[in-house]
Amino acid sequence: MNENPIMIANDAVYGSTAECFITIEGQRFNFMSMTEFESNWDVKITEVPILGKVGMGHKAAGGKGTWKGKAHYNQSHFRRMADTYQKTGRMPYFEIQVSNEDPTSSAGRQTIIHRGCLCEKFTLAKLQAGEDLLDEELSGTFETWDMPEQFTELEGILAN
């Protein structure tokens, strides 16, 4: 019989209880229109030839942050950024802060702040006949990130 502890189902984190804020040129907005968000930090791995060894070694040599999401089409923050860029040639950097906290989970709260964010494309106008709600795909890059809050380690996760 398995003697290892198993996760309690209630400790899975429910996604709808998350918060998302964006900060553009010093103004902070509750981006409650966001319905999906994911960010990734892709580490560039460089092959390292080593004399006397048949296989390649590997070394981390930089990283790249990317993000993507979906939001209800009911805000103009990103369109204003696109407008500034097309009129002035200046693309404003911004921050995205995402916090996950499910009060029913003992995992607690985790916050990631993405800094130096840019959008890579903008939905300018949209329409759709019928009964569907309008949404928009968002994506871009970020330069750095911080994690001021981390999930609490669940009971039993530390293996002996």
Side-chain angles (χ1 to χ4, degrees):
M1 173 140 212
N2 188 355
E3 298 290 325
N4 288 324
I6 57 173
M7 188 184 90
I8 298 168
N10 220 30
D11 285 338
V13 177
Y14 185 59
S16 287
T17 57
E19 299 174 323
C20 183
F21 294 91
I22 57 174
T23 303
I24 305 167
E25 298 184 317
Q27 285 191 294
R28 189 166 193 235
F29 303 95
N30 181 355
F31 202 44
M32 60 190 170
S33 300
M34 190 69 88
T35 60
E36 294 178 27
F37 183 85
E38 181 177 322
S39 63
N40 293 288
W41 182 252
D42 299 319
V43 177
K44 179 182 178 189
I45 303 294
T46 301
E47 290 186 348
V48 179
I50 301 172
L51 189 63
K53 185 176 177 184
V54 175
M56 286 284 181
H58 298 89
K59 182 173 183 165
K64 176 183 177 184
T66 58
W67 61 273
K68 64 181 178 179
K70 186 184 285 188
H72 294 294
Y73 182 76
N74 63 1
Q75 55 75 36
S76 296
H77 302 297
F78 292 109
R79 279 172 281 288
R80 282 197 300 266
M81 276 192 277
D83 189 47
T84 297
Y85 181 60
Q86 66 122 2
K87 289 178 178 170
T88 69
R90 187 179 68 79
M91 174 71 82
Y93 285 92
F94 60 98
E95 291 182 358
I96 302 172
Q97 176 183 318
V98 175
S99 298
N100 295 97
E101 183 176 27
D102 178 349
T104 65
S105 172
S106 58
R109 181 178 174 94
Q110 176 177 278
T111 298
I112 303 289
I113 303 171
H114 308 80
R115 302 188 192 283
C117 297
L118 290 173
C119 280
E120 60 187 8
K121 71 176 183 172
F122 298 91
T123 301
L124 297 181
K126 190 168 188 173
L127 65 84
Q128 180 177 343
E131 297 180 13
D132 288 338
L133 299 173
L134 292 180
D135 59 20
E136 61 183 309
E137 302 285 333
L138 302 165
S139 62
T141 60
F142 61 93
E143 305 219 349
T144 63
W145 56 280
D146 292 308
M147 186 170 54
E149 297 175 298
Q150 300 177 35
F151 286 130
T152 302
E153 287 189 359
L154 300 175
E155 187 175 326
I157 202 164
L158 185 61
N160 293 327

